[in-house]
Amino acid sequence: MRIRLYLVIPLILAITAIASPKQELPRPQHALGFQVGEDYKLADWEEIVSYFHSLDAASDRIMVQELGKTTMGNPFILAIISSSYNLKNLERYRQIQQRLADPRELSPQEAERLIAEGKTIVLITCSIHSTEIASSQMSMELAYRLASEDSPQVKEILDNVIFLLVPSLNPDGIIMVTDWYRKTLGTPYEGTSPPYLYHKYVGHDNNRDWYMITQQETKLAVEKIHNVWHPQIVYDMHQMGSRGARLFVPPFIDPIEPNVDPLLQTEIVWMGSAIASELIAQGKSGVVMASIYDGWTPARAYQHYHGGIRILTEAASARLASPIKVSWDQLAEEGRGYNAKKSTWNFPLPWKGGEWHLRDIVDYELIAAFACLRHAARNRDRWLTNFYTISKRAVERKEPPFAFLVPLEQDDLPTAIAMLQVLRKGMVEIHQAIEPFTADGIPYPAGTYVIPLTQPYGSYAKTLLEVQHYPVRYQYPGGPPLPPYDTTAHTLPLLMGVKTITVMSPFTAKMEPLEEILLPKGKVIGGTAKYAYLLSHQSNNSVLAVNRLLKDGYKVYWSTDDATVDRQFFPAGTVVIPQADELDTKIKTLASELGLNFFSINKALPARGYLLKTPRIGLYKSWSASVNEGWTRWILEQWEFPYQSLYDNGVREGKLTEKFDVIILPDQSPSAIINGIPPGRYPPEYCGGMGKSGVDNLKQWVYSGGTLIALNSASQLPIEHFWLPVRNSLEGVPQNKFAAPGSILKVVVDRLHPIAYGYPRETNVMFWRGLAFELSGGSAVATYPPANPLLSGWIMGAEHLCQKGALVDLPLGKGRVILFGFRMPYRAQSYATFKLLFNALYYGTAALTTLP
Ligand SMILES: [Zn+2]
């Protein structure tokens, strides 16, 4: 009976397989009702996802996985494309890749066998920037051709490559953009970008999140694709402006971040020039290499530190799916590294101008994708050998620095843990000492976190933990500097305010590897309090505790004076929570969940205090969308601050006192805030900014008690319109006299000012298109030191900042204006400055009183 059953089941399966052959492959144009890239037509996300599923159902060369949901709850999908044999043995190939990525337990003979057997892993990601929409459309045709064609070219690719295709790294944005396009098609606004961020929180900055990994889409891509497959080749498809080259292809220009393995740097050149050559062979003009984009920041290049190349192409844009016409005369002559009208080695075949359609972009991208896949297939052994070589070099590293140490003794341990968790997301191996040890002659206690650099992703850890010395380049000897494409500094310990030690000589320590970095639980010191619980203001998590306590109706104070109780020093700003009903349990929960220590005291603290209340926060949101608004919103939500978005019409309407205690103007130019989008370019409801009436209402509201917080360039608005006793001393300083583009600088804080409560004497800020305040009234909360403030990155003309205000508090009428002259909350990375913003939010409503 049993035997028979064994025989019957495979037989049934075999019959089913024969009886129901895969359905016929659906062509994109049949599924969509139009050709991919057709003028005025865009497939939306539902159509794209459903098309990929239908290909999966009909082909044994493609397998579609939903990796999870996006920020707004939409499916995030990955298509795996290869020969049916490879797909059946996918797990085997994944393991090969895994073993080559970490060759510590691998003999050279075995490595050779694995290289012979393994496949090149290629990841192509589309339309992370959702208005750069062509590649999301192209992805369907690319998948269809790989699934349907039987040419030698396709066979070679399918046999040698495991191709991971992400039709969009930001599906929510595809939905927003296709909705907007369809709504405005045939109107005067056709082809414009939506007047809001195309990612719920971070808009265009979703492509600057590749080491901090804060957003859901980055998490899915890193955890479920990069860290699983370790692709040798990652190709990210973008679009740029319309008046220059038709397609940018690597190599990148200098500087390349020095921790990117030199072999990998040559691979970028190798692949990039192969793609360019293929395009030109097929008669595609306007291809430019070695221009515009540098290879400095790791924020866009996760794979450069994980054994693979990360290349991008940038195609000239149409107006979404609407064609444009660019004449020869309209082409830009001043490109970064080329002239669109002149043939040079890196731009050998200029485009002559004319019409430019969505389909043109699709065509260029298809050729580029096939060139990339063919290169990966034809040079399979080379890509695998190089991948192994890079991994092997990493695990055999023998030069200083040897490790980074993160001690448990921190001003803000939960933030130190957050930093370690960021590294861990990038597969960095982190250990914890189980016995005391000595490194560079200095003793360290058990419990110290150790990040040895001799590990597969040691260069990733090193890049993020060390100080950057940006190799500035000049336009010509003695000429103005070339600005970096992005920022110049990314030192996480400085950005986050975490004490980290570099070890320069070999050492031994008894330690255990940590799979997960857990936040150590906090304690309640001194048992049940008779009078109050005290909490240090140093940790960012203390803000979470305060918000949760206020939400539950408890009274919370900041002490205004330094005080000593039971020989324990409590500096000004210490959080005081007077004993109340059911408070003991609440405090225990907070201590445990947030890793905070509470101190119980049995008699009143000899100090005055600010009684805190939850501020009614308005976060200004312009239709001329600001990415900084999105990041600020993200940060407010992460730290559980309730807020309302405040739009132009809300500001113009006035009655702000009834609704808000504090209003934040995110980093945005005053003209964008005041004038917004010029009339005529968008539907009228999005045009016009807050206008003069809005500015007057804001000023009036401050006079009657409101607190206005302006971030970075928005500071210029109250400076220009409120007659404040302050000027921006960088105004009018020419670009060749001062620059600090995305650099980390030191500031000295007035720790007795409530906005600086919880800070030591100094902290670090991210300076980027910032301001420096010269005061003739009010007070400076943070000031640049008398000497060069540079900590990481690059600065020119540091003297322009010396002793100028970085963060100032300016009372005005019954209210106040608080100006931040640096980038806040810089891509959710500048933890070292978060509390300055959080304190400023409370400060607006805090009432000075005696402690109960
Ligand atoms: Zn882009």
Side-chain angles (χ1 to χ4, degrees):
M1 194 62 182
R2 206 168 254 193
I3 293 164
R4 240 190 261 167
L5 204 66
Y6 265 103
L7 288 171
V8 167
I9 290 172
L11 200 64
I12 294 173
L13 288 177
I15 291 167
T16 328
I18 297 162
S20 61
K22 288 260 179 179
Q23 302 135 10
E24 201 194 325
L25 279 185
R27 286 173 180 277
Q29 56 268 45
H30 288 156
L32 302 172
F34 57 87
Q35 285 268 2
V36 164
E38 202 174 306
D39 283 348
Y40 312 111
K41 297 280 204 270
L42 289 176
D44 62 27
W45 188 240
E46 213 181 308
E47 289 168 321
I48 295 171
V49 171
S50 124
Y51 180 70
F52 272 91
H53 282 308
S54 68
L55 269 190
D56 178 353
S59 164
D60 54 4
R61 297 177 185 176
I62 175 164
M63 192 189 266
V64 176
Q65 300 174 345
E66 184 181 317
L67 301 184
K69 298 291 185 203
T70 64
T71 304
M72 295 170 85
N74 295 300
F76 186 100
I77 61 164
L78 165 71
I80 307 179
I81 301 173
S82 197
S83 71
S84 66
Y85 176 85
N86 292 348
L87 288 185
K88 281 188 199 111
N89 295 285
L90 210 51
E91 180 52 23
R92 168 73 189 148
Y93 293 118
R94 193 192 63 76
Q95 283 169 10
I96 291 175
Q97 191 68 3
Q98 180 93 37
R99 299 208 55 202
L100 293 172
D102 181 359
R104 282 174 291 193
E105 307 278 307
L106 198 58
S107 70
Q109 296 74 16
E110 206 182 348
E112 211 171 296
R113 276 198 300 275
L114 293 176
I115 288 167
E117 188 188 346
K119 306 294 172 193
T120 319
I121 313 293
V122 179
L123 167 63
I124 294 186
T125 52
C126 303
S127 297
I128 185 170
H129 292 152
S130 313
T131 47
E132 302 165 18
I133 200 154
S135 58
S136 67
Q137 312 292 303
M138 182 279 310
S139 69
M140 293 179 282
E141 192 162 321
L142 177 60
Y144 173 75
R145 285 185 55 188
L146 290 167
S148 64
E149 284 179 18
D150 286 314
S151 61
Q153 168 185 244
V154 165
K155 192 173 167 357
E156 185 182 18
I157 292 170
L158 296 175
D159 286 344
N160 293 289
V161 171
I162 291 173
F163 173 33
L164 312 171
L165 175 60
V166 176
S168 173
L169 276 173
N170 178 21
D172 296 346
I174 298 290
I175 295 172
M176 293 184 213
V177 170
T178 48
D179 280 356
W180 175 258
Y181 184 70
R182 287 170 184 178
K183 208 167 76 184
T184 52
L185 191 61
T187 73
Y189 322 117
E190 175 182 320
T192 54
S193 304
Y196 31 80
L197 300 177
Y198 51 60
H199 176 276
K200 183 177 177 190
Y201 294 106
V202 303
H204 197 82
D205 261 2
N206 58 357
N207 198 33
R208 311 284 189 267
D209 193 35
W210 292 96
Y211 59 79
M212 205 63 187
I213 314 175
T214 64
Q215 299 300 305
Q216 176 64 4
E217 294 74 14
T218 334
K219 280 184 198 161
L220 287 173
V222 167
E223 276 170 24
K224 300 199 171 171
I225 307 175
H226 285 270
N227 294 355
V228 172
W229 282 104
H230 314 282
Q232 284 97 357
I233 299 160
V234 175
Y235 172 7
D236 197 29
M237 290 192 170
H238 287 255
Q239 289 171 222
M240 55 183 181
S242 309
R243 305 238 163 142
R246 297 299 92 192
L247 192 76
F248 162 81
V249 177
F252 301 111
I253 52 172
D254 276 325
I256 308 288
E257 205 281 319
N259 293 297
V260 180
D261 191 289
L263 180 53
L264 220 145
Q265 296 187 32
T266 63
E267 286 183 341
I268 297 169
V269 181
W270 192 36
M271 173 59 90
S273 45
I275 294 175
S277 178
E278 176 74 35
L279 282 154
I280 290 166
Q282 297 204 30
K284 296 295 179 194
S285 57
V287 175
V288 69
M289 296 170 279
S291 65
I292 317 170
Y293 304 95
D294 66 31
W296 182 255
T297 175
R300 287 177 289 140
Y302 185 79
Q303 208 53 19
H304 281 177
Y305 307 90
H306 291 83
I309 61 168
R310 182 266 182 184
I311 59 165
L312 57 77
T313 57
E314 298 264 0
S317 294
R319 299 181 75 231
L320 298 177
S322 302
I324 56 168
K325 214 171 190 171
V326 184
S327 69
W328 175 258
D329 288 341
Q330 287 171 321
L331 286 171
E333 289 175 31
E334 282 302 317
R336 201 171 133 102
Y338 75 108
N339 175 335
K341 292 183 179 174
K342 215 164 139 185
S343 168
T344 46
W345 79 264
N346 61 338
F347 187 61
L349 180 61
W351 183 63
K352 293 196 164 55
E355 284 185 8
W356 187 248
H357 299 260
L358 181 65
R359 183 66 214 188
D360 291 315
I361 309 172
V362 169
D363 285 339
Y364 275 65
E365 288 178 343
L366 278 170
I367 295 170
F370 271 101
C372 168
L373 290 165
R374 199 168 45 250
H375 190 288
R378 195 154 295 171
N379 303 290
R380 188 201 61 79
D381 59 333
R382 200 67 250 163
W383 283 104
L384 270 84
T385 307
N386 287 359
F387 179 70
Y388 167 67
T389 307
I390 292 165
S391 315
K392 202 159 159 52
R393 275 186 199 163
V395 299
E396 288 174 358
R397 180 189 164 89
K398 283 191 188 69
E399 58 187 74
F402 289 90
F404 288 90
L405 308 179
V406 177
L408 276 170
E409 197 66 38
Q410 297 276 348
D411 287 347
D412 180 359
L413 182 62
T415 292
I417 298 295
M419 185 187 85
L420 294 171
Q421 287 167 340
V422 165
L423 295 170
R424 193 70 197 116
K425 281 184 207 164
M427 301 194 83
V428 172
E429 292 171 1
I430 298 168
H431 302 253
Q432 195 165 25
I434 45 180
E435 279 176 12
F437 66 99
T438 302
D440 284 342
I442 300 164
Y444 294 96
T448 304
Y449 296 97
V450 181
I451 304 155
L453 291 188
T454 303
Q455 58 162 303
Y457 309 115
S459 75
Y460 183 66
K462 179 170 177 283
T463 305
L464 297 178
L465 295 173
E466 73 186 1
V467 164
Q468 279 73 53
H469 304 281
Y470 183 76
V472 64
R473 298 156 71 241
Y474 295 87
Q475 290 177 20
Y476 48 86
L482 283 164
Y485 182 71
D486 195 56
T487 55
T488 62
H490 39 262
T491 313
L492 278 183
L494 294 175
L495 283 167
M496 298 180 79
V498 177
K499 195 204 280 178
T500 305
I501 296 138
T502 314
V503 181
M504 297 304 284
S505 33
F507 68 105
T508 50
K510 211 166 181 190
M511 51 193 197
E512 56 173 1
L514 302 176
E515 195 44 49
E516 217 184 327
I517 312 295
L518 298 171
L519 176 62
K521 287 186 173 155
K523 297 190 285 280
V524 182
I525 296 160
T528 304
K530 286 208 184 83
Y531 167 71
Y533 291 99
L534 301 184
L535 169 64
S536 157
H537 203 130
Q538 285 175 306
S539 174
N540 285 314
N541 273 11
S542 72
V543 176
L544 273 173
V546 169
N547 277 339
R548 291 182 192 175
L549 287 162
L550 288 176
K551 194 173 171 215
D552 288 350
Y554 292 104
K555 281 209 154 67
V556 182
Y557 298 82
W558 290 340
S559 73
T560 54
D561 309 284
D562 295 345
T564 304
V565 178
D566 296 337
R567 275 177 286 168
Q568 175 90 28
F569 176 66
F570 294 101
T574 296
V575 180
V576 184
I577 312 126
Q579 185 54 287
D581 281 354
E582 290 170 48
L583 179 63
D584 302 329
T585 339
K586 179 83 194 168
I587 294 289
K588 273 186 201 144
T589 314
L590 291 173
S592 150
E593 282 180 9
L594 301 175
L596 298 169
N597 289 333
F598 289 82
F599 298 84
S600 51
I601 55 167
N602 298 324
K603 57 175 195 263
L605 206 61
R608 286 175 308 152
Y610 281 103
L611 175 62
L612 303 187
K613 76 174 212 205
T614 303
R616 298 172 304 161
I617 300 169
L619 177 59
Y620 173 69
K621 192 171 186 175
S622 167
W623 292 118
S624 177
S626 150
V627 167
N628 184 255
E629 180 275 331
W631 281 116
T632 308
R633 193 154 32 86
W634 168 257
I635 287 298
L636 292 181
E637 288 182 18
Q638 299 308 301
W639 266 269
E640 302 177 13
F641 279 96
Y643 69 89
Q644 276 181 51
S645 289
L646 172 59
Y647 293 88
D648 289 322
N649 57 0
V651 190
R652 284 195 301 256
E653 248 166 46
K655 296 186 189 153
L656 297 170
T657 313
E658 290 169 23
K659 296 174 212 151
F660 302 108
D661 302 310
V662 183
I663 292 173
I664 307 173
L665 294 179
D667 191 352
Q668 190 165 20
S669 75
S671 72
I673 296 172
I674 299 170
N675 306 321
I677 300 172
R681 277 191 53 213
Y682 275 80
E685 62 267 35
Y686 300 113
C687 296
M690 69 167 65
K692 193 184 168 301
S693 66
V695 175
D696 288 344
N697 287 343
L698 268 185
K699 187 166 34 171
Q700 214 42 58
W701 165 80
V702 172
Y703 269 100
S704 38
T707 296
L708 181 69
I709 299 174
L711 302 183
N712 219 29
S713 44
S715 298
Q716 204 66 48
L717 184 144
I719 293 179
E720 285 167 14
H721 296 273
F722 290 14
W723 297 98
L724 295 170
V726 60
R727 66 176 278 273
N728 171 21
S729 70
L730 293 177
E731 206 183 323
V733 177
Q735 280 177 356
N736 60 355
K737 293 281 182 247
F738 173 79
S743 306
I744 304 171
L745 308 182
K746 181 197 288 185
V747 294
V748 179
V749 300
D750 171 6
R751 70 165 193 88
L752 291 176
H753 192 293
I755 295 176
Y757 280 168
Y759 278 88
R761 220 179 81 80
E762 289 172 354
T763 191
N764 323 320
V765 304
M766 167 51 86
F767 189 95
W768 203 8
R769 294 169 202 150
L771 291 79
F773 303 116
E774 240 172 55
L775 292 180
S776 46
S779 51
V781 181
T783 310
Y784 292 103
N788 188 336
L790 183 69
L791 296 171
S792 186
W794 174 62
I795 194 167
M796 176 179 69
E799 65 278 8
H800 291 280
L801 289 182
C802 291
Q803 290 180 295
K804 300 292 188 313
L807 163 58
V808 295
D809 170 22
L810 305 159
L812 186 65
K814 287 185 192 156
R816 62 182 69 249
V817 177
I818 299 166
L819 306 178
F820 284 75
F822 47 88
R823 188 63 70 104
M824 269 294 286
Y826 175 64
R827 297 174 184 165
Q829 295 178 24
S830 57
Y831 277 60
T833 50
F834 286 175
K835 273 199 315 292
L836 296 169
L837 176 63
F838 300 152
N839 288 347
L841 292 171
Y842 282 122
Y843 184 44
T845 50
L848 191 58
T849 172
T850 49
L851 288 173

